Amino acid sequence: MIESKRQKLDEEERKITVIAHPNIALIKYWGKASEAEMIPLNDSISLAVNYFHAKTTLIARKVEKGEEIGDTVSINGKDVGLNSRFHRVFKSVRDKLDCQWSFTVSSSTNFPVAAGLASSAAGFAAIAFALGKTFDLPEHDIVRLARYGSGSASRSVLSGLVQWKKGNDKTESHVVSHFSADHWPELRLVIIVVKDEEKALSSKEGMERTAKTSELLQDRIRRNQERINLIISAFSSHDFPSLAELIMRDSNEMHAVCLDSYPPIQYLNATSWSIINFVHSFNKESVRAAYTFDAGPNACIFTLKEHVNELYDRVTSTFSKGKEVKDVYISELGQGPQIDN
Amino acid sequence: MIESKRQKLDEEERKITVIAHPNIALIKYWGKASEAEMIPLNDSISLAVNYFHAKTTLIARKVEKGEEIGDTVSINGKDVGLNSRFHRVFKSVRDKLDCQWSFTVSSSTNFPVAAGLASSAAGFAAIAFALGKTFDLPEHDIVRLARYGSGSASRSVLSGLVQWKKGNDKTESHVVSHFSADHWPELRLVIIVVKDEEKALSSKEGMERTAKTSELLQDRIRRNQERINLIISAFSSHDFPSLAELIMRDSNEMHAVCLDSYPPIQYLNATSWSIINFVHSFNKESVRAAYTFDAGPNACIFTLKEHVNELYDRVTSTFSKGKEVKDVYISELGQGPQIDN
């Protein structure tokens, strides 16, 4: 094994293309215990959005001693400045290798980036997975690299129902998949991209403010393990009504601690609230849908295959495209990253 | 004393006119321990809005045995149906008296009713105060009668900084004034009545849902006494920045537990959020204003005499009347009910 790794490391240039999906948390990650190590304050648990993906090509080139390392990243054809997250990921992988490498990353997505649709989760999961496959890194390192890019990206490294266990330091913080995607293949997601003119606070800044100022956050953290266990149990027994209520309550609670921050943080806008009320009315007879909102106004609505067409039709007839809503997508759930041949 | 009371009770008809003010809570009342006895889940503390008042005339008529009791209430010239709150107040006072009386109440207000401006607090405080003065009831009974009409009305029976101590039963639940209104006469309130087309959930229903479903509410209740003490201490030392932060945080927290209810409750609309952001920007250099929101989108902004004109001007130039905002008022704070001669 060591022989073959050495051999690989001797190659001058390596190229790989991978596909990774964003994920939607059923129990949200909100607040960090450590920014440097990207350790969260609570466990989170998610499912991948199969329909959306980042397709990422990584070219790794060996760098001679004294030669400058020139990493580059482009997203959808546009060069992006390398912020500290990219530096942290690339530095971390270089620290593990015997000699210096530079990285060229070009990524394209089939969904809008910077629209609050977890594009950075898909993007960093793809980069971490590509680096891992290129240098034969163990899963634990791939997950850590993804996390260094974006906390929630670590959940996109696995498939199925994925829990990010916070752990107490960088070696403990890890992800685990409780069920593969085919445990509950009927699950579907209807994603509503909300038209939004307001500039939202970034997740990073929002989390920092909440962690520093919200007193209710402590109560949320105390309940975290119980909620995670309830999600796993509802998922295990295909109990959609229980799963749905847990998902909606967690989303509400996350936005409640945002509102309890000082100054208060608002991610839900009037359309988000209309969607919340719409889902509760859709559920009037029986619970068939569950909304969840990340750090923005867009809604992800979980449902089952048998209800997805009715839900989609009622969403698109209730919310006029172009006015309140930009786009509505349907997706299956749960796939992990793959190498694209 | 008993003689004089007896004498009074022998009169056939009595008439009194009183003026009472609504109050704005700095620490909100949200959630009941007992609906029947109107016992709250937490203490609250408030100041009266002097500029607004309910002017209420009570006519009490002795009823002969066998004669039907015909209570009536009119508000701003319109007869209102006697709901269970009026019945509870009138029954409670009749139970204390030696013979039967019927009550005719006519109330007028100088501010919009049913606009979320605590009109019921002013109205029931006026009725309770009028009944108390008519029948020489002790303060404790007046407070209880007001509370039976509307929980927060009990705070309008006293003046200055008034705390409603929840107590554990109807005899323990009481109000106390920590400071008279002249302890801090520079305090002012700018009240923004927000244009609102949405029908809000009543406070009663909202409180019930929060008490039944919000898990974060328990955390809010745990912190209640500490917050009340901090308010009293900031008020005592005329520490406006501390008072302001406590007021804003409590408002945020109340709306956070509303959002944490299931289904979630929204009282703040887009204009409310614009006002929140406006106040934080007004406070950029130094904390000179504090917003608070009850169960509706209207904002009450506390400030000091020296800043009130600038605040008013900036509010009225930022929020266009007729578009986002209906009316903006300025008031002094702290007066209790008076008999109108």
Side-chain angles (χ1 to χ4, degrees):
Chain A
M1 271 304 275
I2 286 171
E3 259 328 283
S4 92
K5 207 189 267 185
R6 282 292 144 123
Q7 250 180 356
K8 275 202 174 176
L9 286 180
D10 286 334
E11 292 161 27
E12 297 283 310
E13 179 169 306
R14 300 174 193 183
K15 185 176 172 180
I16 190 171
T17 298
V18 303
I19 282 173
H21 304 281
N23 66 76
I24 297 299
L26 319 182
I27 300 287
K28 309 282 186 200
Y29 154 47
W30 196 254
K32 294 182 190 106
S34 156
E35 171 69 38
E37 299 293 348
M38 295 288 271
I39 311 292
L41 282 169
N42 60 269
D43 286 20
S44 53
I45 197 161
S46 70
L47 287 160
V49 184
N50 293 356
Y51 180 77
F52 291 166
H53 67 249
K55 187 170 175 175
T56 299
T57 298
L58 168 81
I59 298 169
R61 279 194 198 85
K62 216 194 277 184
V63 174
E64 296 304 317
K65 258 200 172 147
E67 203 184 324
E68 212 175 315
I69 299 171
D71 302 325
T72 63
V73 176
S74 78
I75 297 174
N76 293 327
K78 220 173 147 178
D79 274 352
V80 298
L82 263 63
N83 60 28
S84 60
R85 296 172 169 229
F86 287 109
H87 285 302
R88 181 162 51 184
V89 173
F90 294 147
K91 180 184 182 307
S92 176
V93 77
R94 273 194 279 264
D95 288 350
K96 286 201 92 67
L97 303 175
D98 288 349
C99 56
Q100 289 290 55
W101 293 78
S102 76
F103 306 115
T104 303
V105 171
S106 49
S107 197
S108 63
T109 63
N110 68 340
F111 64 107
V113 293
L117 291 170
S119 57
S120 64
F124 279 110
I127 292 172
F129 191 73
L131 288 168
K133 293 300 154 191
T134 299
F135 297 108
D136 279 340
L137 302 177
E139 184 186 282
H140 205 292
D141 281 342
I142 297 176
V143 170
R144 187 176 46 82
L145 289 175
R147 196 178 81 231
Y148 279 2
S150 164
S152 56
S154 60
R155 295 188 308 245
S156 276
V157 171
L158 300 191
S159 63
L161 182 72
V162 179
Q163 178 180 355
W164 176 14
K165 299 189 173 196
K166 67 183 181 79
N168 294 311
D169 59 38
K170 67 176 172 180
T171 54
E172 275 185 17
S173 198
H174 195 46
V175 293
V176 58
S177 172
H178 293 281
F179 299 94
S180 67
D182 61 10
H183 176 78
W184 200 347
E186 296 83 9
L187 275 181
R188 293 290 182 282
L189 198 56
V190 173
I191 297 153
I192 308 177
V193 184
V194 170
K195 238 182 140 179
D196 180 33
E197 272 119 52
E198 294 151 51
K199 201 182 139 44
L201 197 72
S202 75
S203 306
K204 182 175 178 288
E205 289 173 287
M207 280 189 202
E208 278 169 8
R209 193 187 296 173
T210 303
K212 212 184 287 177
T213 63
S214 168
E215 299 193 68
L216 295 181
L217 179 65
Q218 299 312 313
D219 205 38
R220 169 171 168 76
I221 292 168
R222 268 194 292 276
R223 251 193 313 282
N224 175 247
Q225 287 305 313
E226 182 196 336
R227 291 265 177 95
I228 292 272
N229 293 340
L230 289 170
I231 288 272
I232 293 167
S233 155
F235 199 88
S236 163
S237 59
H238 298 82
D239 178 354
F240 188 81
S242 297
L243 186 79
E245 183 169 336
L246 288 161
I247 290 171
M248 292 187 273
R249 277 180 174 274
D250 185 73
S251 174
N252 297 340
E253 192 183 75
M254 185 200 107
H255 292 278
V257 299
C258 286
L259 173 41
D260 183 55
S261 305
Y262 189 77
I265 302 165
Q266 178 198 30
Y267 287 119
L268 304 176
N269 69 13
T271 304
S272 314
W273 274 98
S274 299
I275 295 168
I276 288 173
N277 294 329
F278 163 86
V279 169
H280 284 291
S281 130
F282 186 83
N283 285 345
K284 204 150 202 176
E285 302 297 316
S286 64
V287 179
R288 302 178 294 157
Y291 58 78
T292 187
F293 296 84
D294 281 354
N298 305 312
C300 293
I301 310 181
F302 288 93
T303 189
L304 292 169
K305 191 181 170 186
E306 55 182 316
H307 307 304
V308 73
N309 288 334
E310 184 190 340
L311 178 63
Y312 179 86
D313 290 347
R314 282 181 57 181
V315 163
T316 49
S317 66
T318 305
F319 300 95
S320 49
K321 224 164 138 173
K323 213 178 147 199
E324 298 158 294
V325 152
K326 259 192 211 147
D327 275 305
V328 184
Y329 303 89
I330 296 178
S331 181
E332 296 186 11
L333 291 159
Q335 295 304 332
Q338 306 117 49
I339 295 174
D340 187 57
N341 293 312
Chain B
M1 270 307 271
I2 286 169
E3 259 327 284
S4 91
K5 206 187 268 183
R6 281 293 144 119
Q7 250 181 354
K8 276 201 175 176
L9 286 179
D10 286 333
E11 293 161 27
E12 296 282 310
E13 180 172 305
R14 299 174 193 184
K15 186 177 172 179
I16 190 171
T17 298
V18 304
I19 282 174
H21 304 281
N23 66 77
I24 297 300
L26 319 182
I27 300 287
K28 309 282 186 200
Y29 153 46
W30 197 252
K32 294 182 189 105
S34 156
E35 171 68 37
E37 299 294 348
M38 295 287 270
I39 311 292
L41 283 169
N42 60 269
D43 286 18
S44 54
I45 197 161
S46 70
L47 287 160
V49 184
N50 293 356
Y51 180 77
F52 291 167
H53 66 250
K55 186 171 175 173
T56 298
T57 298
L58 169 81
I59 298 170
R61 279 193 197 86
K62 216 192 280 184
V63 176
E64 297 304 315
K65 259 198 171 148
E67 202 184 325
E68 212 175 316
I69 300 171
D71 302 326
T72 62
V73 176
S74 78
I75 297 174
N76 293 327
K78 222 174 147 179
D79 274 351
V80 299
L82 262 65
N83 60 28
S84 60
R85 296 173 169 227
F86 287 109
H87 285 303
R88 182 162 49 184
V89 174
F90 295 146
K91 181 184 181 306
S92 176
V93 76
R94 273 194 279 264
D95 287 351
K96 286 200 91 68
L97 303 174
D98 290 348
C99 57
Q100 288 290 54
W101 292 78
S102 76
F103 305 115
T104 303
V105 171
S106 48
S107 197
S108 63
T109 62
N110 68 339
F111 63 105
V113 294
L117 291 171
S119 57
S120 64
F124 279 109
I127 292 172
F129 190 73
L131 288 168
K133 293 300 155 192
T134 299
F135 297 108
D136 280 339
L137 302 177
E139 184 186 282
H140 205 293
D141 281 343
I142 298 176
V143 170
R144 187 176 46 81
L145 290 175
R147 196 178 81 231
Y148 278 4
S150 165
S152 55
S154 60
R155 296 188 308 247
S156 276
V157 171
L158 301 190
S159 62
L161 183 72
V162 179
Q163 179 180 355
W164 176 13
K165 298 189 173 197
K166 67 183 181 78
N168 295 312
D169 59 37
K170 66 175 172 180
T171 54
E172 275 185 18
S173 198
H174 195 46
V175 294
V176 59
S177 173
H178 292 281
F179 298 94
S180 67
D182 59 12
H183 175 78
W184 200 347
E186 296 82 10
L187 274 182
R188 292 291 181 282
L189 198 56
V190 173
I191 297 153
I192 308 177
V193 184
V194 170
K195 239 184 140 179
D196 179 33
E197 273 118 51
E198 294 152 53
K199 201 185 140 40
L201 197 72
S202 75
S203 306
K204 182 175 178 290
E205 289 173 286
M207 280 189 202
E208 279 170 9
R209 193 188 294 173
T210 303
K212 211 184 287 176
T213 63
S214 168
E215 299 193 68
L216 295 180
L217 179 64
Q218 299 312 314
D219 205 38
R220 169 171 169 76
I221 292 168
R222 266 194 293 277
R223 251 193 312 282
N224 175 246
Q225 288 305 314
E226 182 196 336
R227 291 264 177 98
I228 292 273
N229 293 340
L230 289 170
I231 288 273
I232 293 168
S233 154
F235 199 88
S236 164
S237 59
H238 299 81
D239 178 354
F240 188 81
S242 296
L243 185 80
E245 183 169 336
L246 287 162
I247 291 171
M248 292 188 273
R249 277 180 173 276
D250 185 73
S251 174
N252 298 339
E253 191 183 74
M254 184 199 107
H255 292 278
V257 299
C258 286
L259 173 41
D260 182 55
S261 305
Y262 188 77
I265 302 165
Q266 178 199 28
Y267 288 119
L268 304 176
N269 69 13
T271 305
S272 315
W273 274 99
S274 299
I275 295 168
I276 288 172
N277 295 329
F278 162 86
V279 170
H280 284 290
S281 131
F282 186 83
N283 285 345
K284 205 150 202 178
E285 303 297 316
S286 64
V287 179
R288 301 178 295 158
Y291 57 78
T292 186
F293 297 83
D294 281 354
N298 305 312
C300 294
I301 311 181
F302 289 92
T303 189
L304 293 169
K305 192 181 171 187
E306 54 183 315
H307 308 303
V308 75
N309 288 333
E310 184 189 341
L311 178 63
Y312 180 85
D313 290 346
R314 282 181 57 181
V315 163
T316 49
S317 66
T318 306
F319 300 96
S320 49
K321 226 165 139 174
K323 214 179 147 198
E324 297 158 295
V325 153
K326 259 192 212 145
D327 276 304
V328 184
Y329 302 90
I330 296 177
S331 181
E332 297 186 10
L333 291 159
Q335 295 303 333
Q338 306 117 49
I339 295 175
D340 187 56
N341 294 310

